[in-house]
Structure formats: structure tokens, C-alpha cells
Amino acid sequence: MQLTINLPDDFFDQALAESVAKIANKSQIDDFPPYMDKKMAAKFLGCSRSTLDKWIKTEHLPFIKIDSVYRFSREKLIIWLNNHEI
């Protein structure tokens, strides 16, 4: 069984913009460690883990992968968000 979900074309653009707004406050940024796992990175970006996985594949979200373990640099995520700001 296959499930198809149609989302508006600007859905991910809106999600990125909301993520940028959520972490714009520096005190919130400092609450996160310099390197994060997928769960923490999704929380940092204000998105679900499935959206995080999609951004890895389609939006070139930066990550480090050692064996099957993903890590995300807080600083690189901030740069990535700034580069996707509308």
C-alpha cells in the first residue's frame, strides 16, 4: 500500500523560514551542543526527523556520518539556515 501526500510547493520554504526565526535568538542557540544527533538536530531546526531526512537528501543539509551514526555541527546548521533564508 502506498500513501501519497500532496504538499504546497512552498511548504519546505515556509518550514525553513520558521526554523530560522526560531533559532534567531542566540540564547536558544547556546542551549544546543556543538554536535548533535538526528533527534537533537531536528529539535534545533524546529522540524520532524522525517523532514530532517528529506533536507539531507534534497537540500544538502550538512552532516558528518561515521559508520551509521549521523552528527550535525551546530555552526554548519546555522550557516545552512542563513543560506536558505528567503
Side-chain angles (χ1 to χ4, degrees), residues 12-59:
F12 290 106
D13 292 339
Q14 290 174 353
L16 282 170
E18 290 170 10
S19 294
V20 169
K22 284 182 183 179
I23 66 165
N25 183 343
K26 179 140 176 50
S27 65
Q28 289 178 350
I29 292 171
D30 292 338
D31 290 342
F32 290 88
Y35 290 92
M36 299 172 264
D37 61 13
K38 277 188 170 185
K39 182 178 179 182
M40 184 69 69
K43 184 175 179 181
F44 179 77
L45 294 170
C47 67
S48 68
R49 287 199 41 195
S50 61
T51 297
L52 183 80
D53 288 333
K54 181 171 178 66
W55 287 347
I56 289 169
K57 292 176 185 173
T58 63
E59 301 294 330

